[in-house]
Amino acid sequence: MGLLYNIFVSVFSSIGAFLFGYDSGIIASVITMSRYLDRFGDNASIRGGVVSSFNVFLGGCFFGAMGAGWCNDRFGRKRTIQVGTIFALWGCAMQTGANNVATLLVGRIIAGLAIGILSMTVPLYNTEVAPPKIRGFLVGMTQQMIGIGFIVANWVGYGCQYIDSDASWRLPLGLQMAPAFLLLVGIQFLPNSPRWLLEVGRDDEAKEVVYQLHGTTPQARDAADVEFKEMSETIKAEVFVRSRKLSDLWATRAMLRRTLVAVGVQVFGQFSGINVINYFGPEMYAGLGITGGQALLVQGIYGAVGPIANIFFITLILDRVGRKKPLMFGAASFVVTFSILAAIVASFPPPPVELAGQVPVNQAAQRAGIAMIFLTSIFFSLSFGPVSWVLASEVFPTSTRSIGTSVATCANWAFNVLLSQVSPIGMTNVKWKFYLLFVALNFVDFIIITLFFPETKGKSLEDMAIVFGDNVDTKRILDEHKDTSDSASNEKHELEHA
């Protein structure tokens, strides 16, 4: 098995990330379809419903990610993914069969819960089963599948708009259930996380999984034995001292640093402005004087740029250059692209709507503005896109990895909701000056990453204790526990013979 099996496990489990991308992207096409508009009322109610649908979906994602931490500890990674797919099937079925706005909104909330669960658990699962040398590539597959989901959603929506019935919007919503069902059934045949198995005392199963992931050659078996021994000792020691409290995330200086790094990389990913482009691209293009079908065409092309850059990055670069340098590169790049974009919009504002088509638009400025937006997507895919999922889940010890990843993902969704609220207001009221916010945020991000973020490339998950300076003596804890167990056993033996 070995490498190919690891890749298969990563790609298949990342169907959850594909569902994330598709579910997030398809609603943008659905709400513009004439049959959808006929079904759900006049323009005012439609606008209200669209905004509410979008926000409750993101809110559901936040709460789904919040609850997934407990579920992962209690039932494991595979079962939690299955819980997420069940919520996805339920929510998507409600959306597909909706005959009123209320049913659609409830379906979006439930689907949001599913995406929150999956967006937190899929990278967590891939982190725990991936070998250290290719962990960046395998966990980075999460971002790749999100991008592919967006692409598929764009083209499915484009094709379905020509169907002259309610199937034009019900079909693309219903197609969400296909990957959800495939993941629900298929994840059962993938291995459990060996680290979770060790946590719950299923050591023999954990060892078999490690062998399965490494392959069958003698060299692979030797490497598996070494990794399992290190993994087992560290996790068993963590089990003896863990308390399963949220406060564990800041109980020590080293743990606080882990938490700040994980939360920081997720929040900084939102500060990149990528989801402002994903959600409000047509409004940004309108600021460049590009409207109507031309804006939709540009947005469709834009959707394909990120995944192409991402697959190149996670395949050839991420596990060679590490995590820190790409994050620094990304933050610095966003300072440049948003500075240029702000300058273009400020210097060459589009003509008023009533004069559109009568006043010439500076074509060179338009092309330069589009280039900056596209470059932002490319630079995101070469930095925060894949790295944020990798780093947020790999920095924590096994004892707090699920709850820590949950908190980091919740932070991601919280700032996603915030920016989705303020971005259309900012672009309408302050226009080009709104982009200066991202210039300032990414400048600060660059400094913080440079000064405080560690490099975790090539480290095993158990080696993170060295990276972050944890004061945990694994051997001492295990020896103390062994002595305590032996003492209790001797006392019991003496009492039985008394």
Side-chain angles (χ1 to χ4, degrees), residues 224-242:
D225 286 330
V226 171
E227 181 179 2
F228 180 78
K229 183 176 184 297
E230 179 186 14
M231 188 189 304
S232 178
E233 289 180 351
T234 302
I235 292 173
K236 294 300 182 184
E238 290 173 357
V239 168
F240 297 142
V241 299
R242 73 181 296 174

Side-chain angles (χ1 to χ4, degrees), residues 143 262 265-266 269 327 380 383-393 412:
Q143 184 64 33
V265 75
Q266 289 283 352
L327 292 177
F380 179 80
S383 58
F384 286 92
V387 175
S388 61
W389 299 113
V390 177
L391 193 60
S393 55
N412 181 317

Side-chain angles (χ1 to χ4, degrees), residues 36-319:
Y36 174 91
L37 301 178
D38 292 341
R39 168 70 62 175
F40 293 106
D42 60 34
N43 290 336
S45 65
I46 291 168
R47 285 196 298 272
V50 168
V51 172
S52 299
S53 176
F54 183 71
N55 291 330
V56 299
F57 173 72
L58 294 179
C61 292
F62 176 86
F63 288 106
M66 182 185 296
W70 173 85
C71 192
N72 272 282
D73 276 338
R74 181 67 180 82
F75 302 111
R77 305 351 178 189
K78 283 173 54 175
R79 291 290 177 266
T80 303
I81 289 175
Q82 289 181 313
V83 170
T85 59
I86 291 171
F87 274 107
L89 289 168
W90 179 14
C92 295
M94 289 190 69
Q95 293 175 62
T96 304
N99 286 316
N100 53 63
V101 173
T103 305
L104 182 67
L105 292 181
V106 173
R108 291 291 285 167
I109 293 173
I110 296 172
L113 290 171
I115 298 306
I117 293 170
L118 294 172
S119 67
M120 176 259 167
T121 307
V122 168
L124 171 65
Y125 172 74
N126 282 332
T127 294
E128 293 192 337
V129 300
K133 291 184 178 180
I134 58 170
R135 189 168 59 240
F137 166 64
L138 296 180
V139 184
M141 194 60 66
T142 300
Q143 184 64 33
Q144 184 66 25
M145 295 295 278
I146 291 173
I148 293 174
F150 267 106
I151 293 174
V152 173
N154 286 338
W155 288 109
V156 167
Y158 178 80
C160 287
Q161 68 178 322
Y162 295 106
I163 301 175
D164 189 22
S165 68
D166 276 359
S168 62
W169 61 270
R170 293 191 190 276
L171 176 60
L173 291 177
L175 287 176
Q176 298 173 94
M177 292 185 284
F181 181 77
L182 179 62
L183 186 59
L184 171 65
V185 176
I187 194 69
Q188 183 64 34
F189 300 98
L190 298 187
N192 273 300
S193 161
R195 290 171 170 87
W196 178 77
L197 289 172
L198 282 168
E199 268 198 295
V200 296
R202 294 158 62 176
D203 296 21
D204 292 339
E205 291 179 60
K207 193 168 188 177
E208 287 303 313
V209 170
V210 174
Y211 283 149
Q212 187 179 9
L213 292 169
H214 275 76
T216 57
T217 65
Q219 296 87 346
R221 284 276 170 156
D222 291 341
D225 286 330
V226 171
E227 181 179 2
F228 180 78
K229 183 176 184 297
E230 179 186 14
M231 188 189 304
S232 178
E233 289 180 351
T234 302
I235 292 173
K236 294 300 182 184
E238 290 173 357
V239 168
F240 297 142
V241 299
R242 73 181 296 174
S243 64
R244 292 185 182 271
K245 296 178 181 177
L246 184 63
S247 58
D248 287 349
L249 296 179
W250 56 83
T252 65
R253 185 173 181 176
M255 187 59 69
L256 177 61
R257 187 185 178 202
R258 293 175 189 258
T259 303
L260 291 176
V261 167
V263 171
V265 75
Q266 289 283 352
V267 173
F268 294 168
Q270 291 299 319
F271 289 168
S272 70
I274 192 66
N275 280 328
V276 176
I277 302 174
N278 289 339
Y279 300 151
F280 307 109
E283 287 88 338
M284 295 180 71
Y285 299 130
L288 295 168
I290 304 169
T291 58
Q294 189 179 10
L296 294 177
L297 177 61
V298 172
Q299 184 75 349
I301 298 172
Y302 159 87
V305 170
I308 294 173
N310 186 82
I311 193 64
F312 166 78
F313 177 67
I314 64 175
T315 304
L316 302 176
I317 299 176
L318 179 54
D319 285 308

Side-chain angles (χ1 to χ4, degrees), residues 285-286 288-292 294 349-361 366:
Y285 299 130
L288 295 168
I290 304 169
T291 58
Q294 189 179 10
V353 177
E354 60 272 13
L355 297 178
Q358 303 176 32
V359 178
V361 176
Q366 273 191 351

Side-chain angles (χ1 to χ4, degrees), residues 465-478:
I466 300 173
V467 174
F468 287 91
D470 287 295
N471 187 24
V472 177
D473 188 338
T474 300
K475 186 176 185 302
R476 178 183 60 79
I477 294 172
L478 291 175

